[in-house]
Every structure is written in C-alpha cells, then in structure tokens.
C-alpha cells in the first residue's frame, strides 16, 4: 500500500515540474437509496491551487439516479458552482444536467460509457449547452475489500461552437470499495483550451463516498 501511494505522489511531483500547474481536488459524496431503483446523490467538491494558495472551484450538486437495468443508469442533476479561474472575482454558475451511463462487465473487468448534457448559466459569462462523454475501465479487484485500479478519460464539447474545449485523462486506485463506503485516489492530466491555446494541468485527487 505505502509503495503504491509513494509511486502515485512521485508521479504527480515529476509531472508538476514540467511547467504545468498542479491542482488538488477533493470530492465528498453521500448516496441515499430511495427505492430498489432510485438513488439520491448529494456531493460537494473543491479545486485548490497550491502554487498561489488559491481556492479556484467550489461546488455543490444533487442528482436523482434511476437504474432500471444492471447495465444502465440515467438521471437528472443540478449544480451550483463558485469559481475564479482567471481573476480574483468569483463567478457563479448554475448547471442543469441530464445523463445516461451504460456499463459492461467481462469477467472481473468493467467498462462504462457515460453521456451527459449540460445547460450552464453564468452570472457574468455567456450561457451555453455542453456535452460530456466519459470512458472508464476498471481492473479486477486486488483484495477482498475492493482495492482496484482504474483508468478513465472525459471530454467536453460546447454545443454552441461545436468544439471540444476540455479533456482529462485519469489513472486511479480505489483504496477501499464496499457497499456503503468508497475511498479513491487518482492522478489526472487536464488539457483546457483558453483563447485558442491549450493549457495543461496536473491533478491529484481524493474522493470519499458514503451510502445509506
């Protein structure tokens, strides 16, 4: 365990020195089962920039998920975000989201394809619709408590311009994954397009998930 954590942190440190910005992300989520199919998911997340001691993103969101089939899940969500990506002025975003995820398990490997449509309403920026797609591949569990590696990618396309403006590539580890509790660590490379130029960031993240 200690060797895996050391290797992950070393990878982040090496990448961060290559003229890219380091970001620290933390997400905490509570899942409440409403029925055999419906789940209420409430979460909060922060993005912190160690270089300047700046909290760049803070959001809270709520989702209602329906799983009619073992391999299919869909739902609707709403998010309120406070962000200051460029200046020290906070911007508010209200986001309505519709999603549908499809998964396939082959022996102990699991592949998930996610789709999400968003309407993003800003306090002082142009509103727009956006599409997010994700692919996630989970490897077989290494321990009886659910430790397993996963890789993932996600990309975002603004529908008003038809251009992709954000992409992320993840490599992570579910340290502990059971029915009511999950703890995960990950590293991600982010590519963001601003003013026709692409900028890179390294992300070290921690996710905590509880279910009742």
């Amino acid at each position: 365990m200690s060797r895996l954590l050391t290797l992950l942190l070393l990878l982040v440190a090496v990448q961060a020195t290559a003229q890219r910005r380091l970001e620290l992300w933390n997400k905490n989520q509570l899942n409440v089962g409403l029925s055999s199919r419906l789940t209420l998911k409430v979460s909060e997340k922060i993005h912190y920039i160690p270089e300047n001691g700046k909290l760049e993103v803070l959001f809270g969101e709520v989702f209602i998920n329906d799983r009619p089939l073992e391999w299919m899940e869909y739902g609707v969500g709403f998010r309120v975000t406070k962000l200051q990506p460029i200046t020290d002025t906070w911007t508010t975003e209200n986001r309505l989201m519709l999603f549908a995820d499809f998964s396939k398990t082959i022996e102990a490997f699991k592949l998930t394809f996610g789709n999400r449509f968003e309407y993003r309403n800003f306090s002082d920026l142009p509103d727009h619709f956006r599409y997010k797609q994700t692919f996630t591949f989970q490897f077989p569990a290494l321990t009886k408590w659910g430790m397993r590696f996963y890789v993932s990618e996600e990309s975002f396309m603004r529908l008003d311009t038809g251009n992709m403006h954000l992409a992320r590539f993840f490599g992570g580890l579910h340290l502990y994954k059971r029915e009511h509790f999950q703890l995960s660590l990950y590293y991600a490379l982010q590519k963001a397009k601003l003013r026709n130029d692409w900028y890179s960031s390294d992300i070290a993240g921690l996710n905590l998930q509880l279910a009742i």
Side-chain angles (χ1 to χ4, degrees), residues 13-211:
V14 170
Q15 293 293 327
T17 58
Q19 94 266 347
R20 299 204 293 254
R21 186 177 68 169
L22 173 64
E23 302 183 17
L24 301 179
W25 291 9
N26 171 239
K27 183 176 183 180
N28 300 306
Q29 180 171 305
L30 175 65
N31 299 340
V32 181
L34 303 178
S35 69
S36 59
R37 286 178 38 170
L38 295 178
T39 304
L40 172 69
K41 298 184 177 182
V42 181
S43 61
E44 59 87 19
K45 188 177 183 183
I46 61 171
H47 297 180
Y48 177 73
I49 314 300
E51 180 181 355
N52 53 21
K54 178 180 176 182
L55 184 65
E56 185 178 62
V57 175
L58 171 64
F59 75 68
E61 66 182 14
V62 57
F63 274 92
I64 293 290
N65 294 24
D66 181 25
R67 185 181 290 275
L69 301 167
E70 184 64 27
W71 52 268
M72 177 184 177
E73 185 175 24
Y74 69 94
V76 59
F78 182 75
R79 177 187 297 179
V80 177
T81 304
K82 293 289 188 177
L83 65 159
Q84 47 175 347
I86 299 176
T87 67
D88 290 329
T89 302
W90 285 97
T91 295
T92 301
E93 177 198 350
N94 297 305
R95 184 185 305 183
L96 179 64
M97 299 169 283
L98 301 171
F99 80 93
D101 295 344
F102 305 93
S103 60
K104 175 69 173 179
T105 300
I106 303 176
E107 296 183 353
F109 297 89
K110 184 177 181 180
L111 176 65
T112 302
F113 173 55
N115 304 270
R116 192 170 82 194
F117 290 93
E118 307 172 342
Y119 174 67
R120 309 179 71 197
N121 171 257
F122 293 93
S123 58
D124 53 5
L125 294 172
D127 300 346
H128 60 266
F129 288 92
R130 188 170 72 172
Y131 169 67
K132 173 188 176 183
Q133 68 83 30
T134 62
F135 287 101
T136 303
F137 186 78
Q138 297 188 64
F139 294 87
L142 301 173
T143 66
K144 62 182 181 180
W145 61 83
M147 180 187 291
R148 64 169 61 190
F149 289 100
Y150 70 92
V151 292
S152 178
E153 71 84 22
E154 57 186 33
S155 58
F156 299 79
M157 178 179 292
R158 286 186 51 159
L159 299 183
D160 56 340
T161 63
N163 295 324
M164 185 177 71
H165 71 103
L166 181 64
R168 301 184 184 115
F169 306 91
F170 295 83
L173 176 68
H174 297 310
L175 293 173
Y176 188 86
K177 186 175 183 181
R178 307 302 286 175
E179 182 181 0
H180 299 288
F181 180 81
Q182 178 175 307
L183 178 65
S184 303
L185 290 173
Y186 62 86
Y187 159 78
L189 170 63
Q190 176 176 269
K191 308 288 288 187
K193 189 175 185 180
L194 299 172
R195 302 188 184 95
N196 296 319
D197 291 321
W198 287 92
Y199 295 88
S200 298
S201 299
D202 293 284
I203 300 165
L206 172 69
N207 290 344
L208 174 64
Q209 188 175 128
L210 299 175

